[in-house]
Amino acid sequence: MSFLESFGGLALALLGGGLAAGLSCVGSAKGTGLAGEAAAGLMCEDPSKFGKAMILQVLPGTQGLYGTVVWFFSIYAIGLLNGMPDLSVMDGLRCFAACLPMALGGLLSAIAQGRVAAASINILAKKPSDWSKGLVLCGIVEFYAILSLLASMLMLNFLFLA
């Protein structure tokens, strides 16, 4: 039995789960960083708006959480929590493919949401009574992160737990 046959399936599955968590966390770090820069600028002018600015900054961080949930669900689905699974290359590839929506959706939506959150902090700076409108705009981007999470979770469920 070759190395690929012995460990290739597990390696592909772990790579998929790792990318779901890792890329989503990279996107969240970038998104929260963008919003944090805007919030820091606002704090120089008006520190009393810290609470609302922090809420807007935290929003792009949810994608990292979603990616970590997909990672955990993927290692559960392949049976890694019960010991070393004997996973075929095809099953590993299936797990990898199932994790891709969260990996890519988490990365890109977190960065986009960070940009929207930074713009929303500008709303908070100029029209504090309208800050919730920016929150709604951030929520629209969040919807697509949730769809990415749903796609990965359903595929992992149908492929391994059905």
Side-chain angles (χ1 to χ4, degrees):
M1 188 181 301
S2 72
F3 178 81
L4 184 61
E5 290 171 341
S6 296
F7 297 103
L10 180 59
L12 284 168
L14 292 175
L15 180 61
L19 286 173
L23 291 178
S24 294
C25 286
V26 166
S28 286
K30 178 71 175 168
T32 57
L34 289 168
E37 289 175 20
L42 176 58
M43 294 307 99
C44 291
E45 299 295 321
D46 189 355
S48 69
K49 294 178 180 161
F50 172 75
K52 291 176 180 175
M54 187 183 71
I55 290 169
L56 290 166
Q57 184 197 6
V58 166
L59 287 174
T62 57
Q63 284 85 335
L65 177 65
Y66 301 158
T68 303
V69 167
V70 169
W71 166 78
F72 184 79
F73 198 79
S74 71
I75 65 170
Y76 173 76
I78 65 171
L80 190 62
L81 298 177
N82 297 324
M84 189 64 79
D86 184 24
L87 211 59
S88 72
V89 172
M90 188 55 72
D91 282 341
L93 192 55
R94 285 183 180 113
C95 184
F96 179 85
C99 292
L100 280 181
M102 191 66 246
L104 297 175
L107 171 68
L108 298 173
S109 69
I111 294 168
Q113 192 174 43
R115 289 182 177 138
V116 174
S120 297
I121 289 169
N122 288 330
I123 294 172
L124 176 61
K126 294 178 181 173
K127 293 190 173 194
S129 61
D130 288 340
W131 85 280
S132 60
K133 292 176 182 175
L135 192 63
V136 170
L137 296 173
C138 288
I140 292 168
V141 181
E142 184 77 18
F143 175 72
Y144 294 97
I146 292 168
L147 288 180
S148 297
L149 172 65
L150 182 63
S152 285
M153 294 293 282
L154 287 175
M155 283 193 286
L156 285 167
N157 186 51
F158 291 137
L159 290 173
F160 294 100
L161 302 175

